[in-house]
Amino acid sequence: MAKVKSKWICQECGYETAGYLGKCPECGSWGSLVEEVQVSATKPQQTSVHDEFINTEKPELLKDIHIGEEVRVSTNISEFDRILGGGLVQGSLVLIAGDPGIGKSTILLQTSGELCKNNKKVLYVSAEESASQLKLRAQRLSINSDSLYVYPQTSMESIKSQIEEIMPDVVVIDSIQAIYSQNIASSAGSVSQIRECTNLLMHIAKSKNITVIVIGHVTKEGNIAGPKVLEHMVDTVIYFEGDKYKSYRMLRSMKNRFGNTSEVGIFEMHTDGLHEVKNPNELFLNERSQVAAPGSAIIVTNEGTRPLLVEIQALVGTTPYPTPRRVTNGVDTSRVLQILAVLEKRVGLNLSKQDVYVNVMGGIDVSEPSADLGIALAVATCARDVVVDPQTVIIGEIGLSGEIHPVNNIEKRLNEAVMSGFKKAIVPFANKIEDKRIEIVPVKRLMDAIAACVSAQ
């Protein structure tokens, strides 16, 4: 006879307690604890659902392990391969998360079609759409393959049996929040269900050497829905980002056991699917006005190993309110406040009665400190009504005493600026290099950088 008991589990972090609590002691969220009924069998002969994956293999010496040539499989999408570190690794578990409607299902259906062109067998498990709905998307994306299987199913046990029968090379789960296991009494999408189903998929991937790609939902705060252990269980975590008012999309690697992290792949959304952006600088600079205006500066920021040229715009004006406004879009507000404090203390720029607005054009988020100097010069030139040369790029991190700190990968940044047609670069003095293709202006302090912009008028 089975024993029935219930636990209260936090749907944000997975914390478990025997009774209800209004506030989770682990993550501090309110009203997130949900009662989940758990059934445990008392029969001693009952075995675990994972017992079949236990094998009798013995430990091997590292030097004796042979890696085959097909350990990585290219997706034929270079931007996706960049994120993965060169392609999909056999037997890996990949998690892709993003906002609703951002294009997660689209990119994975396109990837499935490209994998089938490489003579790979793909099983696409659609837990949120019917087969006919998926067929409509495939027709729009011009995907028609003899080795792409579509399986609209939500039961983990049924999915597992079909994987064993078809034995595909790649399995796509769309999405993990809609999958449930009969061994767990709670509803689909709960912490227990997500943890159990992901654990089972991980065992399938490792034991059968099948690559599993899982789509995950995100919360309103932008975090992956479900327990935090979900991100620890998978091999790769990829965020799918983008502005709903813009056509571009960005794949960002946050965790990768088989490649570099913080890599970025850029796509542009069209009616026939996602297209790769070979030259992202054209995408972010195509709306830049050719008429020079105060408060505009071009920076070179690094996204992973890729340098991107982005326009920073600032607007400074007298405030009609007792407290001046500080509004930012695409950059950290606290970082901008720090830069404004340095401008007031070290440069003598009075901003105490000025509203300051800072915006990153193109909708991209810039978090790298190398954007500090560009933000400072955009604010300073707007306040003084002078113009930064539109053929100049600005690179540098600002310290609290007004000094300019060096940045990494200066050669790659300058090379990208030269390829985009820029003629001049303001860089930290410690990053001074010889380059005949572009004029290098090394600066030690923020005052020197502002003077270099003013003298260029």
Side-chain angles (χ1 to χ4, degrees):
M1 184 176 179
K3 294 182 179 180
V4 180
K5 61 179 181 179
S6 63
K7 287 185 178 181
W8 293 86
I9 302 178
C10 176
Q11 302 303 301
E12 298 292 336
C13 66
Y15 177 80
E16 298 182 2
T17 180
Y20 175 76
L21 298 174
K23 181 181 179 181
C24 175
E26 186 73 21
C27 64
S29 59
W30 289 89
S32 61
L33 271 73
V34 176
E35 185 179 15
E36 296 185 6
V37 179
Q38 297 182 339
V39 181
S40 58
T42 57
K43 296 180 180 180
Q45 67 271 18
Q46 184 172 357
T47 58
S48 171
V49 294
H50 304 307
D51 287 347
E52 58 185 287
F53 297 112
I54 300 177
N55 53 52
T56 58
E57 293 183 1
K58 296 182 178 180
E60 298 181 66
L61 288 173
L62 180 63
K63 64 178 182 179
D64 296 334
I65 298 176
H66 174 70
I67 300 178
E69 296 180 357
E70 296 297 326
V71 66
R72 281 193 184 271
V73 179
S74 174
T75 63
N76 289 345
I77 303 175
S78 59
E79 290 295 303
F80 198 13
D81 286 342
R82 173 197 290 270
I83 303 301
L84 297 169
L88 290 168
V89 177
Q90 290 184 350
S92 62
L93 184 59
V94 181
L95 173 64
I96 296 182
D99 294 330
I102 202 70
K104 302 183 296 295
S105 301
T106 299
I107 187 65
L108 289 186
L109 190 57
Q110 286 183 240
T111 302
S112 301
E114 294 296 331
L115 288 170
C116 292
K117 294 179 181 178
N118 290 344
N119 298 322
K120 300 298 180 180
K121 192 184 299 182
V122 180
L123 175 62
Y124 194 105
V125 179
S126 177
E128 298 177 345
E129 293 179 302
S130 64
S132 58
Q133 291 172 334
L134 202 62
K135 176 67 174 179
L136 288 174
R137 180 184 289 115
Q139 289 178 344
R140 179 170 57 86
L141 302 177
S142 301
I143 297 174
N144 189 15
S145 175
D146 295 333
S147 56
L148 176 57
Y149 295 85
V150 175
Y151 187 44
Q153 182 58 257
T154 57
S155 171
M156 189 64 235
E157 285 71 25
S158 300
I159 295 171
K160 173 176 165 293
S161 64
Q162 290 301 316
I163 292 175
E164 294 174 346
E165 180 179 345
I166 299 175
M167 286 304 294
D169 299 293
V170 178
V171 175
V172 177
I173 305 295
D174 184 9
S175 65
I176 189 63
Q177 274 78 15
I179 304 297
Y180 72 94
S181 173
Q182 297 176 359
N183 298 310
I184 304 296
S186 58
S187 60
S190 64
V191 168
S192 300
Q193 286 286 2
I194 294 175
R195 185 167 47 201
E196 176 71 13
C197 294
T198 304
N199 191 29
L200 187 56
L201 289 171
M202 182 187 66
H203 282 282
I204 292 174
K206 304 303 179 183
S207 63
K208 302 184 182 301
N209 203 30
I210 296 174
T211 302
V212 179
I213 306 176
V214 176
I215 292 179
H217 295 172
V218 296
T219 62
K220 59 182 179 181
E221 290 82 13
N223 301 319
I224 299 177
K228 196 65 178 178
V229 70
L230 176 64
E231 300 179 45
H232 295 285
M233 293 170 64
V234 301
D235 299 309
T236 305
V237 178
I238 297 174
Y239 278 86
F240 208 175
E241 305 172 352
D243 190 338
K244 61 181 179 181
Y245 300 111
K246 300 287 183 178
S247 60
Y248 80 90
R249 303 288 187 269
M250 298 179 66
L251 281 175
R252 190 185 302 272
S253 173
M254 306 303 294
K255 171 189 175 182
N256 194 349
R257 290 173 177 164
F258 314 111
N260 188 21
T261 57
S262 299
E263 281 288 0
V264 170
I266 303 176
F267 298 84
E268 190 169 9
M269 179 66 78
H270 293 269
T271 55
D272 58 344
L274 290 162
H275 293 189
E276 299 177 76
V277 177
K278 300 296 184 180
N279 188 0
N281 295 321
E282 293 181 358
L283 181 66
F284 296 127
L285 296 179
N286 61 354
E287 298 178 358
R288 180 168 61 110
S289 175
Q290 298 302 319
V291 180
S296 176
I298 304 298
I299 66 169
V300 187
T301 181
N302 260 3
E303 290 289 350
T305 59
R306 165 183 281 171
L308 296 178
L309 280 86
V310 182
E311 181 182 7
I312 302 286
Q313 287 188 345
L315 180 62
V316 179
T318 304
T319 179
Y321 307 104
T323 303
R325 302 188 66 187
R326 305 289 188 252
V327 180
T328 64
N329 183 25
V331 290
D332 185 25
T333 302
S334 60
R335 192 76 183 178
V336 173
L337 293 176
Q338 177 179 309
I339 295 171
L340 297 181
V342 174
L343 284 171
E344 290 197 21
K345 182 68 175 179
R346 307 302 179 187
V347 180
L349 197 62
N350 187 7
L351 300 171
S352 60
K353 296 182 180 180
Q354 305 287 324
D355 286 335
V356 178
Y357 302 85
V358 178
N359 179 46
V360 180
M361 297 301 294
I364 187 175
D365 292 329
V366 176
S367 58
E368 197 188 14
S370 65
D372 289 356
L373 187 55
I375 296 173
L377 292 183
V379 173
T381 55
C382 185
R384 295 187 175 182
D385 200 24
V386 294
V387 177
V388 178
D389 182 9
Q391 296 300 316
T392 300
V393 294
I394 301 166
I395 307 168
E397 179 184 354
I398 299 177
L400 292 180
S401 61
E403 76 279 10
I404 308 300
H405 293 285
V407 300
N408 60 349
N409 297 328
I410 189 65
E411 293 86 0
K412 286 186 176 181
R413 298 175 195 259
L414 293 177
N415 184 61
E416 193 68 29
V418 171
M419 293 176 61
S420 298
F422 288 87
K423 307 298 182 184
K424 184 179 178 181
I426 298 177
V427 302
F429 190 84
N431 287 130
K432 181 182 178 181
I433 61 173
E434 295 294 334
D435 195 331
K436 297 181 179 180
R437 303 172 300 169
I438 187 172
E439 180 186 355
I440 305 294
V441 181
V443 292
K444 291 184 177 181
R445 304 187 64 80
L446 181 55
M447 284 291 294
D448 302 332
I450 295 176
C453 290
V454 174
S455 62
Q457 305 304 313

